[in-house]
Amino acid sequence: SIVERMRFHGICIDHDRLRTIREDLVGKREVLMKRITDRLGAVNTNSPKQLGDALVEKLKVKLPKTKTGQYSTNVSDLTMLAPSYPVVQDILDFRAVDKTITTYIDAVLTKVDQEGRIHPSYDLMSAATGRLASHDPNIQSTPIGPPYGDMIRSTFIAPPKAVLLAFDYSQQELRIL
């Protein structure tokens, strides 16, 4: 079938460019972590409790509490505080860079074969909408647009004498009807 051939042939990746993007983002992540640490001390940015406590104790930030009594460090609450507290914007930026590295770049880099291709699995039945879904790695979840999505997507390349096409499912069902 076409889906089996897609998996067999895979998708070419500009491995060197993706590694360079990763190195740049790792450097950016380290700079952000140093700025956060300089302002808040040694804090685990992945621990909502530690982060919330540090923001309230060191900066006297007013954070709402969750149902469990911890300070909320979710994106929407931190985004509202970012204009008044530069370190909060650093935390948001750190999270975005870290997620890009771990969720999108590393997921692809670990799957690149000797020919410079990844071979995602495709499922026709797993998505509730009946659309084709990819996994291992899930290339469909790669962000679109700035700041990092366009950089990552630019590393998906066509092999020589071929063209890489991207299709948008936007309202496909309505158009068919």
Side-chain angles (χ1 to χ4, degrees), residues 50-170:
Q50 283 186 30
L51 188 58
D53 290 348
L55 287 168
V56 170
E57 291 170 14
K58 303 238 173 150
L59 299 180
K60 309 300 183 221
V61 171
K62 301 244 187 260
L63 285 172
K65 289 196 173 185
T66 65
K67 293 177 185 175
T68 62
Q70 290 184 167
Y71 294 109
S72 173
T73 59
N74 66 36
V75 173
S76 60
D77 290 330
L78 293 181
T79 300
M80 289 177 23
L81 295 168
S84 301
Y85 300 93
V87 71
V88 173
Q89 185 60 55
D90 289 341
I91 292 165
L92 291 168
D93 292 344
F94 175 87
R95 286 178 173 177
V97 169
D98 190 57
K99 181 175 182 172
T100 300
I101 293 167
T102 59
T103 305
Y104 305 115
I105 296 176
D106 288 349
V108 169
L109 285 174
T110 61
K111 300 294 181 180
V112 176
D113 68 11
Q114 294 170 335
E115 295 175 357
R117 296 173 183 253
I118 57 173
H119 301 269
S121 294
Y122 299 100
D123 292 322
L124 292 169
M125 305 306 255
S126 65
T129 59
R131 295 177 178 165
L132 189 66
S134 71
H135 61 89
D136 199 27
N138 181 355
I139 58 171
Q140 289 169 303
S141 70
T142 305
I144 296 174
Y148 309 117
D150 291 342
M151 286 190 304
I152 296 167
R153 286 175 178 260
S154 72
T155 66
F156 299 164
I157 56 174
K161 299 183 183 179
V163 176
L164 184 64
L165 297 175
F167 295 97
D168 184 359
Y169 288 122
S170 177

